[in-house]
Amino acid sequence: MPSLEEYAGEIKELWDSRWLTNNGAKHKAFKEKLEAFLGVPFAEPVVNGHTALELSLQALGLKGEVITTPFTFVSTTHAIVRCSLKPVFCDIDPDTGCIDAEKLEALITENTCAVMPVHVYGHVCDTARIEEIAKRHSLKVIYDAAHSFGERVGDRGIASFGDISCFSFHATKVFHTIEGGAVCFSDPDLSEKLKEMKDFGIRDEEHVDEIGGNGKMNEFSAAMGLCNLRHFDQAVEGRRVAVTCYRERLSGVEGLILPPVQKGITENYAYFPVVIDEKLFGVTRDELAQRLAERGILVRKYFYPLTNALECYRGRFDPKDTPVALNISERVLTLPLFEELGAEGAGRVSEEIINIRKSQL
Ligand SMILES: *Cc1c(COP(=O)(O)O)cnc(C)c1O
């Protein structure tokens, strides 16, 4: 969070203007700063990341099947289904956790209209291969970029890939606006459409063009975004220190597979997932999580269960269709990671993990 003073200063004008939402001064300033920061022609702030995904699918007027990944937060799959589209699940690359682009083409049918990959953990998808296949089959590409805010591939910003890239600015993300998100794209035609669609489809006082919903970001969230953008580098640096410590302490621990370092990527260090090889590590993922919890260390089983294994989709999808994702989801843990964790915190977590393994030998 920014300091209370900084945030108070940012929202002070709202008490004078009484303009709290609907494209106010903070929204305008935030949108401008966001576009410059991300290096995209258009970044439309919205109420949350989930709405960014739904609005994108709707704005592109998609119908039919969308190829996506089950190894993600539930929002990605729900967005597709809630827009009356059919998710078709592609398996993942076991190293990055992102969609396996080599398995994508085999899933394309005459009903396929789009691909929705996820830069999971901030690992960058094989964008070149995905977009080459999409182009050949005239498919739209919408990235769920919720984990990858501020990342760069070479000198290109992550938000510039695909037809659309969607971010979440939820309080738990590396960059946040309390609740919030953004839809990023370069097609100017989409700009008016999205502005209308996030505001009930309203063009002006007497004209409603679209059957839109309410996806507007309010002024208090935009103000939080303006503050947090100033401290983004610092937030990433704090995480980098912790991740560097995790890598130093945990590499070479038998039975623990660390995430890859992707070449040419400027990372945001959003998550630090480790995959447990039970035979070599001596305890299962679930036991490790349990024992860490007993020591006051909270880890998350991100992403377990797969979205195609959730109760609400029972009978509709089968996680066995994506065996690599199923396997990883049963063995992965994300370790504690936040700006203030520091080498000390990451060191303590690492030590406990090593102790738990040793106690098994
Ligand atoms: C957080 C997240 C979302 C949803 O974003 P909200 O802002 O919480 O609506 C969607 N996809 C992924 C991968 C996420 O991590």
Side-chain angles (χ1 to χ4, degrees):
M1 290 171 83
S3 72
L4 180 57
E5 291 71 30
E6 184 181 357
Y7 186 62
E10 197 65 56
I11 60 174
K12 197 165 179 298
E13 302 155 41
L14 304 178
W15 263 259
D16 304 325
S17 69
R18 296 290 199 263
W19 190 312
L20 306 183
T21 187
N22 287 48
N23 199 26
K26 297 296 163 190
H27 183 290
K28 283 183 189 144
F30 179 53
K31 176 175 162 62
E32 219 167 87
K33 286 266 188 316
L34 204 54
E35 286 165 352
F37 181 82
L38 294 171
V40 284
F42 302 99
E44 194 57 48
V46 292
V47 68
N48 56 52
H50 181 81
T51 299
L53 295 173
E54 287 196 12
L55 280 173
S56 301
L57 293 164
Q58 290 161 354
L60 292 172
L62 299 174
K63 288 192 173 55
E65 298 172 2
V66 177
I67 301 175
T68 187
T69 169
F71 191 68
T72 179
F73 183 55
V74 58
S75 171
T76 321
T77 304
H78 278 3
I80 295 168
V81 174
R82 286 169 56 87
C83 288
S84 304
L85 293 152
K86 183 184 170 195
V88 172
F89 294 102
C90 184
D91 214 344
I92 61 167
D93 173 338
D95 295 329
T96 62
C98 298
I99 225 168
D100 185 344
E102 296 310 317
K103 292 184 179 154
L104 214 163
E105 201 155 19
L107 298 171
I108 297 174
T109 72
E110 58 185 16
N111 296 322
T112 310
C113 57
V115 188
M116 187 176 271
V118 180
H119 299 303
V120 72
Y121 307 130
H123 295 157
V124 178
C125 296
D126 185 350
T127 52
R129 187 88 177 99
I130 290 169
E131 287 167 36
E132 178 264 315
I133 294 167
K135 196 168 180 198
R136 214 155 11 86
H137 294 270
S138 305
L139 308 176
K140 299 289 185 191
V141 180
I142 303 159
Y143 288 104
D144 181 339
H147 296 176
S148 60
F149 185 82
E151 294 197 311
R152 306 189 71 79
V153 181
D155 51 16
R156 185 173 165 186
I158 194 81
S160 68
F161 288 91
D163 294 281
I164 293 179
S165 287
C166 295
F167 293 102
S168 162
F169 304 151
H170 184 256
T172 54
K173 304 300 207 262
V174 179
F175 169 79
H176 80 91
T177 61
I178 310 171
E179 293 266 8
V183 184
C184 299
F185 51 94
S186 53
D187 177 0
D189 291 344
L190 269 179
S191 179
E192 274 315 301
K193 185 144 194 180
L194 272 163
K195 270 185 205 146
E196 288 184 7
M197 295 211 38
K198 76 174 203 187
D199 189 17
F200 307 102
I202 295 170
R203 186 188 347 142
D204 59 38
E205 275 177 25
E206 297 186 2
H207 300 93
V208 177
D209 291 331
E210 308 279 347
I211 308 170
N214 183 356
K216 301 189 300 292
M217 176 180 280
N218 73 64
E219 290 290 278
F220 289 82
S221 284
M224 183 61 88
L226 285 168
C227 294
N228 282 338
L229 259 189
R230 293 180 201 123
H231 306 294
F232 179 73
D233 289 349
Q234 183 190 327
V236 171
E237 175 56 19
R239 287 165 177 269
R240 190 193 63 77
V241 168
V243 165
T244 303
C245 175
Y246 275 142
R247 285 198 182 279
E248 275 170 18
R249 303 290 290 272
L250 296 176
S251 68
V253 174
E254 251 196 313
L256 217 54
I257 302 157
L258 304 188
V261 177
Q262 291 184 296
K263 274 208 195 90
I265 310 290
T266 310
E267 293 181 60
N268 67 0
Y269 305 96
Y271 298 86
F272 195 77
V274 294
V275 176
I276 286 92
D277 182 338
E278 183 192 335
K279 282 205 192 81
L280 293 171
F281 192 75
V283 294
T284 63
R285 182 270 306 269
D286 288 0
E287 285 171 60
L288 176 59
Q290 174 69 34
R291 292 209 203 167
L292 285 169
E294 284 161 11
R295 291 158 166 83
I297 296 169
L298 295 180
V299 291
R300 298 296 299 268
K301 296 174 194 172
Y302 265 4
F303 284 95
Y304 173 85
L306 296 180
T307 65
N308 56 4
L310 297 170
E311 291 88 345
C312 58
Y313 292 126
R314 197 159 288 158
R316 271 167 97 171
F317 309 124
D318 187 351
K320 292 193 203 73
D321 292 343
T322 50
V324 177
L326 184 58
N327 180 278
I328 299 289
S329 78
E330 286 166 349
R331 300 194 292 134
V332 72
L333 273 186
T334 55
L335 302 186
L337 185 54
F338 48 92
E339 185 183 336
E340 302 85 356
L341 181 63
E344 209 173 308
R348 190 190 142 223
V349 174
S350 304
E351 205 146 299
E352 295 288 4
I353 291 172
I354 292 165
N355 287 341
I356 290 165
R357 180 176 185 276
K358 274 195 188 138
S359 68
Q360 290 312 114
L361 297 178

